[in-house]
Amino acid sequence: MTTALRRIIFIAAIAVIWEVTSRFSSLPDFMFPSLSQVLETLFNGLMSGQITLAIGKSMGRILLGFTIAIVVGLILGYFIWRYKLVEDTLGFVVTALQSIPSIVWFPLAIIWFGLNDFSILFIVTIGATWTMTVNATSGFKNVPQLYQRVAKVYGSSGFHFLRTVILPASVPQIISGLRIAWAFSWRALMAGELLGGGGGLGQLLEMGRSLGQMDLVISVMIIIAIIGTIVDNVVFSRLERNVEIKWGIRKRV
């Protein structure tokens, strides 16, 4: 039995248990909706554009925030790797900041930017930047000394050394950092939209809660899980596997 078939059977079993349990449950529909009710709400939301519009807003925010986090993380990671003084000072602070949940920054974001898109974008960026910085620093540090010595013997230095030796050799760890940073920023986005509004899947969740529409809440949760799974399995896992095969870390199956 293949992995895909096992997963399909498992999900189908959960769906059957959910549907049967909800039909025989004494709980009202608004508290424990059936799977068919959730799927109907999901279908209607997609057809009316309510959910698709929310998906578009959320994806736009996370792509912008994630891109900023990658650029800032790589730059900070470079300076922490390159200069001992920066490592002893900024590197220590980044390690400490990484342990702070991104949602904790939300009160500050509201004070600084107000309850708007900038606050949510700030939360998303903060959620990924420190993780990206730590992984980029680690990737640069783990470049084998042999590569660096050989490159310097042949006269490579400055930006040429960074572009042809350090960045290519650290790509596998940077890709792993991207994957983790995406997960952090995705969770931060949902928390930010849930509290900050301004459209998006998070606000749709809050709307479902305030209206007592658990079928809408669960529909949005399904969409969030599907997007997260697709991005992780289709984009980052595939990218990570291809890079590891190209770098000789993993054998082609």
Side-chain angles (χ1 to χ4, degrees):
M1 185 181 294
T2 63
T3 302
L5 185 58
R6 285 196 194 102
R7 289 175 180 173
I8 292 171
I9 293 174
F10 181 70
I11 292 172
I14 292 176
V16 171
I17 293 171
W18 178 359
E19 184 69 23
V20 172
T21 306
S22 66
R23 287 181 182 276
F24 287 97
S25 172
S26 58
L27 294 173
D29 288 345
F30 74 89
M31 291 182 66
F32 186 21
S34 64
L35 176 61
S36 55
Q37 185 182 348
V38 170
L39 293 179
E40 183 182 352
T41 302
L42 180 59
F43 178 78
N44 292 334
L46 290 171
M47 290 297 104
S48 67
Q50 183 187 35
I51 292 179
T52 50
L53 184 63
I55 292 173
K57 283 196 172 183
S58 294
M59 293 306 293
R61 284 171 180 150
I62 195 169
L63 288 176
L64 180 58
F66 187 60
T67 302
I68 295 172
I70 291 172
V71 174
V72 174
L74 287 174
I75 293 172
L76 292 180
Y78 168 76
F79 282 109
I80 292 172
W81 161 74
R82 184 69 178 78
Y83 301 104
K84 178 66 176 169
L85 176 63
V86 180
E87 181 184 9
D88 291 342
T89 53
L90 181 62
F92 173 75
V93 174
V94 166
T95 305
L97 291 174
Q98 190 192 18
S99 63
I100 300 176
S102 53
I103 194 62
V104 174
W105 291 90
F106 201 68
L108 281 178
I110 293 175
I111 293 172
W112 289 342
F113 307 108
L115 200 59
N116 52 38
D117 279 356
F118 287 107
S119 294
I120 300 173
L121 185 62
F122 176 76
I123 296 297
V124 173
T125 305
I126 284 290
T129 296
W130 311 132
T131 303
M132 194 63 225
T133 302
V134 170
N135 278 276
T137 305
S138 181
F140 296 151
K141 284 182 178 178
N142 288 330
V143 174
Q145 288 295 321
L146 178 62
Y147 295 176
Q148 300 184 43
R149 283 199 294 269
V150 170
K152 288 178 178 176
V153 165
Y154 281 95
S156 180
S157 62
F159 182 70
H160 182 271
F161 179 67
L162 177 67
R163 182 176 61 81
T164 59
V165 179
I166 299 300
L167 281 177
S170 57
V171 161
Q173 190 144 359
I174 290 176
I175 297 295
S176 298
L178 288 175
R179 190 176 180 183
I180 299 170
W182 171 271
F184 276 98
S185 59
W186 184 238
R187 294 169 192 167
L189 173 68
M190 290 303 113
E193 288 182 347
L194 195 63
L195 297 173
L201 291 169
Q203 195 195 22
L204 210 54
L205 273 175
E206 172 59 18
M207 188 176 77
R209 183 204 64 79
S210 61
L211 296 175
Q213 283 186 266
M214 287 304 106
D215 50 339
L216 177 59
V217 171
I218 297 175
S219 299
V220 176
M221 289 171 65
I222 290 173
I223 292 292
I224 292 171
I226 289 174
I227 293 175
T229 304
I230 289 175
V231 172
D232 186 71
N233 286 281
V234 176
V235 179
F236 290 113
S237 289
R238 184 169 295 180
L239 183 63
E240 191 176 29
R241 185 170 58 251
N242 290 338
V243 168
E244 287 179 349
I245 291 172
K246 190 175 180 180
W247 262 246
I249 301 173
R250 177 188 296 193
K251 291 182 180 179
R252 192 181 296 276
V253 180

